[in-house]
């Protein structure tokens, strides 16, 4: 068991992300809920994870599925009550699983009482909680754009002012320059720590120190000062795990975020590796260039080693399903899901598994009018206006929409995949009869049991946590292979990320190594389609 009171325990841990709306319904209203999660804790314990990153469960009008909070100290009623949340924290802890809440500190909902007050007048004590600029209806302060499309400024005629929103109109940005705002947030965090929450994922935390007059959103000059204050005031316990979502981070930034002295956060959650297969906007997908991906990983592995800490992931609620994106969700679905998992879980960092990834869930083919997510819906409208054909738009949405990750969890082959006895809020992927948890648990060769073994390896062999990183075959367009070295131990991870057979010469020293894991029966010098092998060597043996 990990000692979770100690700084750094997360370096041996694996986390699992739950998107509550789509995980497990317990009362038939078609929405996942907290009692549903409690019911599935034994399953997560079987998988072997140490913590749950719980996407927001706070009171919210759900304009952005909970990333628009109207009360940080209340649970959204369809998800359950505060008692349900306390039960979840307690029951999870009993199974060695920490609850990590998702804190949206950059913005609130426009239905948050602070914002309602702020709208009442420039003299209202809450007015300064948000970012306002004077203007006239047809002349916003500048032409900054919101992440979900449209202007980043929304006019409020009664005030003759605009408020700033980096995301949706219903997500006004908080003004971190106001010390009262920061104090409110720290007090709220302590409320949850006292309830037994053991960590926090900090949504778009690199964007809190915005300076719209200088067109700055991420990485504002005051950012690290704010983060250090947050860490001191809200996270004094060395065992609290804090994960900073930072789309803008490069390795230099990441070292500051995750410095081993604990002055900022435990780790960074950055996306450089997930942006290499697009041309400009994320909707313009291009095939993955494997050498570029390998260079990216090598840089992050090398530069953070010993001086920072990264997250390892290929999937979350904002990304399409990786087996469809980089794997083969047809013939080699199982092999490629395992291959991609071994590729990331062998590296240094803390792995995150997004619900359904552990059974190889895939993207969902939908029609344009089926999309729910506001980012996708806005993209469809914007691109139609700009003259894109519906066929083009559909191809982008099918490849990249966040909705791909948000279909209900596939538990079994009964109606609605065992997710709900009612009508699901969002359609179940049609392949649930084949791809579901029950089937995966029955099959010893399933993706699930492969993940279970990967998690076990990280706990057994220190080299997973501590090893240095050496990339092999940097220019190879199919094979991703690397060696990790720690005191007395070496690890070789080989992944053939293609549907072709490929010859591979195992480095001589590993010929006498112990095979820890693979997705085919032991083989010779040829890697089969999407084959992966993990080989271990203890010095002197
Ligand atoms: C983060 C979340 C995403 C959300 C956005 C605005 O990127 O992961 O789901 O829409 O922030 O809060």
């Amino acid at each position: 068991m990990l000692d979770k009171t100690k700084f750094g325990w997360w370096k041996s841990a694996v986390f699992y992300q739950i998107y509550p709306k789509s995980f497990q319904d317990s009362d038939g209203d078609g929405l996942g809920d907290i009692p549903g999660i409690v019911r599935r804790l034994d399953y997560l314990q079987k998988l072997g994870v140490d913590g749950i990153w719980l996407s927001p469960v706070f009171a919210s009008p759900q304009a952005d599925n909970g990333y628009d909070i109207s009360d940080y100290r209340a649970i959204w009623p369809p998800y359950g009550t505060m008692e349900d949340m306390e039960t979840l924290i307690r029951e999870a802890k009993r199974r060695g699983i920490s609850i990590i809440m998702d804190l949206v500190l950059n913005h609130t909902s426009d239905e948050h009482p602070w914002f309602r007050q702020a709208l009442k007048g420039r003299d209202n004590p809450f007015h300064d909680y948000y970012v306002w600029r004077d203007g006239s209806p047809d002349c916003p302060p500048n032409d900054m754009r919101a992440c979900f499309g449209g202007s980043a400024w929304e006019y409020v005629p009664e005030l003759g002012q605009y408020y700033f929103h980096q995301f949706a109109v219903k997500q006004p940005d908080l003004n971190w320059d106001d010390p009262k705002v920061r104090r409110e947030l720290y007090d709220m965090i302590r409320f949850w720590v006292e309830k037994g929450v053991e960590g926090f994922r900090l949504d778009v935390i690199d964007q809190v120190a915005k300076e719209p007059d200088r067109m700055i959103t991420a990485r504002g000059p005051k950012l690290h000062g704010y983060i250090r204050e947050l860490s001191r005031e809200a996270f004094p316990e060395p065992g609290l795990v804090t994960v900073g979502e930072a789309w803008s981070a490069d390795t230099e930034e990441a070292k500051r975020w995750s410095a081993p002295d604990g002055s900022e956060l435990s780790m960074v959650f950055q996306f450089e590796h997930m942006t290499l297969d697009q041309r400009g906007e994320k909707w313009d997908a291009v095939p993955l260039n494997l050498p570029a991906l390998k260079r990216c990983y090598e840089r992050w592995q090398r530069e953070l080693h010993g001086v920072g800490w990264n997250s390892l992931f290929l999937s979350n609620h904002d990304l399409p399903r990786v087996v469809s994106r980089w794997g083969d969700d047809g013939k080699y679905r199982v092999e490629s899901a395992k291959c991609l998992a071994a590729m990331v879980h062998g590296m240094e960092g803390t792995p995150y598994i997004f619900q359904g990834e552990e059974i190889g869930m895939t993207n969902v083919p939908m029609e344009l009018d089926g999309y729910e997510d506001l980012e996708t819906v806005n993209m469809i409208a914007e691109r139609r206006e700009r003259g894109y054909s519906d066929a083009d738009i559909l191809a982008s949405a099918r490849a990249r929409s966040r909705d791909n990750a948000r279909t209900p969890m596939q538990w079994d082959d009964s109606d609605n995949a065992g997710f709900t006895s009612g009508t699901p809020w969002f359609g179940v992927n049609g392949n649930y009869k084949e791809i579901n948890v029950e089937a995966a648990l029955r099959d010893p060769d399933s993706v699930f049991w492969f993940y279970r073994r990967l998690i076990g390896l990280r706990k057994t062999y220190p080299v997973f946590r501590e090893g240095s990183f050496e990339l092999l075959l940097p220019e190879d367009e199919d094979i991703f292979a690397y060696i990790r070295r720690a005191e007395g131990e070496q690890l070789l991870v080989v992944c053939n990320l293609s549907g072709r057979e490929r010859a591979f010469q195992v480095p001589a020293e590993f010929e006498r190594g112990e095979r820890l894991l693979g997705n085919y029966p032991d083989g010779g010098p040829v890697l089969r389609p999407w084959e992966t092998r993990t080989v271990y060597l203890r010095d002197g043996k």
Side-chain angles (χ1 to χ4, degrees):
M1 269 283 233
L2 298 171
D3 178 355
K4 294 185 173 173
T5 60
K6 293 241 164 63
F7 182 84
W9 65 265
W10 47 85
K11 297 187 177 181
S12 312
V14 177
F15 293 134
Y16 185 90
Q17 184 190 352
I18 289 182
Y19 198 64
K21 203 172 262 185
S22 302
F23 192 63
Q24 176 68 66
D25 181 19
S26 72
D27 58 6
D29 66 357
L31 298 159
D33 50 41
I34 294 171
I37 301 173
V38 174
R39 233 176 78 196
R40 296 296 184 178
L41 286 172
D42 288 340
Y43 166 73
L44 296 178
Q45 190 179 22
K46 191 173 296 179
L47 181 58
V49 295
D50 306 285
I52 292 172
W53 154 16
L54 187 60
S55 279
V57 291
F58 310 96
S60 160
Q62 303 288 320
D64 186 17
N65 280 341
Y67 287 89
D68 49 319
I69 297 171
S70 54
D71 185 348
Y72 288 101
R73 296 179 194 229
I75 301 295
W76 189 46
Y79 284 164
T81 60
M82 190 57 87
E83 288 68 46
D84 292 330
M85 187 62 202
E86 287 162 356
T87 304
L88 173 62
I89 296 169
R90 194 177 56 244
E91 287 299 313
K93 200 172 280 187
R94 216 161 58 76
R95 293 166 175 82
I97 299 175
S98 305
I99 296 294
I100 297 180
M101 286 187 104
D102 200 330
L103 286 178
V104 187
L105 306 181
N106 177 67
H107 46 267
T108 67
S109 162
D110 63 345
E111 296 179 34
H112 193 291
W114 297 340
F115 192 71
R116 294 229 159 114
Q117 288 288 324
L119 284 175
K120 290 195 174 152
R122 296 177 182 223
D123 299 334
N124 188 284
F126 290 93
H127 189 72
D128 267 359
Y129 275 39
Y130 296 87
V131 181
W132 300 95
R133 295 291 180 269
D134 293 344
S136 56
D138 46 1
C139 185
N142 59 32
D143 53 13
M144 286 176 85
R145 311 274 303 164
C147 290
F148 296 154
S151 168
W153 297 102
E154 182 71 9
Y155 191 60
V156 178
E158 299 75 28
L159 297 174
Q161 285 187 311
Y162 282 85
Y163 68 83
F164 182 62
H165 60 92
Q166 297 187 64
F167 295 90
V169 175
K170 284 185 68 63
Q171 292 168 303
D173 267 58
L174 283 166
N175 173 19
W176 273 59
D177 291 335
D178 182 345
K180 290 198 297 301
V181 169
R182 305 203 301 277
R183 187 75 259 158
E184 294 262 21
L185 296 176
Y186 306 154
D187 290 348
M188 173 276 289
I189 293 170
R190 298 309 300 167
F191 168 86
W192 288 108
V193 173
E194 276 153 31
K195 290 212 177 285
V197 167
E198 291 176 280
F200 299 93
R201 180 256 186 189
L202 304 165
D203 189 68
V204 295
I205 194 71
D206 57 335
Q207 292 176 225
V208 298
K210 55 251 159 183
E211 295 197 7
D213 303 324
R214 299 164 64 195
M215 310 284 272
I216 294 174
T217 52
R219 295 170 68 160
K222 296 191 203 127
L223 181 60
H224 288 280
Y226 287 154
I227 301 305
R228 281 195 291 273
E229 182 187 278
L230 167 70
S231 171
R232 262 193 328 269
E233 298 289 323
F235 308 128
E237 295 86 352
L240 274 180
V241 51
T242 52
V243 188
E245 187 203 23
W247 283 84
S248 67
D250 55 20
T251 51
E252 283 311 306
E253 269 294 291
K255 284 193 238 172
R256 298 179 69 184
W257 288 109
S258 59
D261 65 3
S263 56
E264 297 200 9
L265 305 175
S266 314
M267 70 186 96
V268 66
F269 201 94
Q270 58 77 30
F271 294 84
E272 191 181 325
H273 59 296
M274 300 310 297
T275 59
L276 299 172
D277 57 350
Q278 66 196 47
R279 213 177 349 96
E281 287 181 40
K282 80 171 202 177
W283 303 107
D284 301 316
V286 296
L288 177 66
N289 173 336
L290 188 62
L293 180 73
K294 291 191 285 191
R295 278 194 296 278
C296 172
Y297 269 121
E298 184 193 29
R299 189 158 32 77
W300 279 89
Q301 289 286 301
R302 194 167 23 82
E303 292 187 19
L304 263 57
H305 185 59
V307 292
W309 198 255
N310 205 352
S311 308
L312 300 168
F313 68 94
L314 296 173
S315 310
N316 76 5
H317 66 294
D318 293 328
L319 302 170
R321 294 279 178 187
V322 73
V323 72
S324 301
R325 182 176 186 170
W326 289 352
D328 173 346
D329 62 8
K331 182 166 174 204
Y332 294 114
R333 183 184 65 84
V334 169
E335 290 80 359
S336 64
K338 292 176 182 174
C339 190
L340 288 162
M343 174 184 95
V344 274
H345 281 245
M347 292 194 224
E348 179 173 301
T350 300
Y352 287 75
I353 301 166
F354 178 64
Q355 67 184 42
E357 178 188 333
E358 79 282 14
I359 55 166
M361 276 177 63
T362 67
N363 279 357
V364 58
M366 286 196 301
E367 298 309 320
L368 281 180
D369 56 7
Y371 286 93
E372 280 276 338
D373 167 41
L374 89 172
E375 183 194 38
T376 313
V377 169
N378 290 352
M379 178 280 282
I380 295 171
E382 231 177 55
R383 291 207 157 185
R384 276 187 171 146
E385 231 164 74
R386 278 156 64 189
Y388 285 68
S389 73
D390 273 7
D392 267 2
I393 298 174
L394 185 61
S396 292
R398 285 190 174 180
R400 287 304 165 83
S401 171
R402 313 194 289 186
D403 276 341
N404 284 303
R406 299 178 177 188
T407 59
M409 182 70 183
Q410 295 164 206
W411 294 105
D412 56 40
D413 64 4
S414 68
D415 286 353
N416 299 317
F419 164 68
T420 180
S421 57
T423 308
W425 74 276
F426 193 37
V428 176
N429 193 319
N431 59 20
Y432 73 93
K433 296 243 179 228
E434 181 205 340
I435 304 171
N436 63 64
V437 166
E438 208 176 74
L441 290 176
R442 251 193 331 258
D443 172 7
D445 284 330
S446 69
V447 181
F448 176 90
W449 292 111
F450 190 89
Y451 268 88
R452 170 77 196 95
R453 286 194 286 273
L454 273 176
I455 296 169
L457 293 180
R458 176 162 293 267
K459 304 245 153 69
T460 313
Y461 300 97
V463 65
F464 279 84
R465 188 178 65 234
E466 291 159 12
S468 62
F469 183 90
E470 182 196 340
L471 180 65
L472 307 177
L473 307 173
E475 295 309 321
D476 195 292
E477 293 189 356
D478 298 329
I479 298 175
F480 194 159
Y482 56 87
I483 296 177
R484 311 268 322 270
R485 291 194 179 85
E487 217 187 302
E489 296 177 291
Q490 296 190 50
L491 185 74
L492 168 71
V493 178
V494 185
C495 303
N496 175 15
L497 296 171
S498 84
R500 286 177 285 278
E501 292 203 337
R502 284 292 316 267
F504 179 77
Q505 183 63 49
V506 173
E509 72 256 45
F510 281 95
E511 271 167 12
R512 59 192 173 84
E514 175 195 348
R515 178 186 151 101
L516 293 182
L517 194 63
N519 59 353
Y520 279 88
D522 217 352
V526 173
L527 295 172
R528 288 151 285 191
W530 297 98
E531 178 163 3
T532 180
R533 299 176 191 173
T534 298
V535 185
Y536 180 75
L537 204 62
R538 204 182 287 281
D539 289 356
K541 276 203 192 154

